[in-house]
Amino acid sequence: MARPKKYTPRTLSKAVERYFDSITREITVTEKRETGQRDDKGHMIYETVPVTNKLGEPVTVTEYVVPPTVGSLCAYLGIHRSTWAEWCDKAKYPEFSDTTTHAVGRMRAWNEEQLLTRSGKDIKGVIFNLENNYGYRERLGVTDDTVEDFLQRLTEEGTGCQTF
């Protein structure tokens, strides 16, 4: 039987980043612009150019070639899911807190993005994952809460200011 891998905070951080690097790629966002010229049939000719932000830098997006999951992360790290769950306990393993919080935040962000960008009938699994693994819940009905009441309730529930 293989010995379990031992991680220091630094080696765990590097290994988790390698996991994400292994399943993502950076894509430069492009758009078509008119060149001001026409082809021999009179149609406008377009060229593909990179989109730049207000700082003049090219805009890139991270595309996940494979969806990020705790299971695949654990397989990549060579650990059991229960080990990862323990490491996520900030009181027990504060030295791993930054890395585990960052990794879980990236996975949550991917799920949130999928919820917003997938077509309507393709989101049941994403909703299930967010509700069961990240504490999201669907709220039905209208309340008479003010924004202040809502923020106060979030603070009391401990879900008001989550950071990644």
Side-chain angles (χ1 to χ4, degrees), residues 116-136:
L116 295 172
T117 58
R118 279 192 186 183
S119 63
K121 63 182 179 180
D122 251 2
I123 61 171
K124 287 182 182 179
V126 174
I127 292 171
F128 176 85
N129 191 24
L130 285 169
E131 288 177 343
N132 290 286
N133 296 317
Y134 299 102
Y136 285 62

Side-chain angles (χ1 to χ4, degrees), residues 93-120:
Y93 292 94
E95 67 273 19
F96 292 148
S97 176
D98 288 345
T99 299
T100 57
T101 302
H102 179 71
V104 169
R106 281 188 73 170
M107 288 183 227
R108 178 186 301 168
W110 179 84
N111 279 280
E112 291 170 348
E113 180 185 333
Q114 293 301 304
L115 188 61
L116 295 172
T117 58
R118 279 192 186 183
S119 63

Side-chain angles (χ1 to χ4, degrees), residues 28-34 46-52:
T28 302
V29 178
T30 60
E31 64 185 355
K32 293 185 183 235
R33 286 198 190 146
E34 295 180 0
Y46 294 88
E47 65 180 344
T48 303
V49 296
V51 173
T52 56

Side-chain angles (χ1 to χ4, degrees), residues 49-99:
V49 296
V51 173
T52 56
N53 61 20
K54 287 184 175 183
L55 300 173
E57 305 162 335
V59 175
T60 60
V61 292
T62 301
E63 179 182 83
Y64 286 85
V65 180
V66 177
T69 64
V70 171
S72 62
L73 172 62
C74 291
Y76 186 88
L77 295 174
I79 62 171
H80 192 272
R81 286 180 79 101
S82 63
T83 303
W84 178 257
E86 282 184 38
W87 290 351
C88 288
D89 184 349
K90 293 174 183 162
K92 223 173 166 184
Y93 292 94
E95 67 273 19
F96 292 148
S97 176
D98 288 345
T99 299

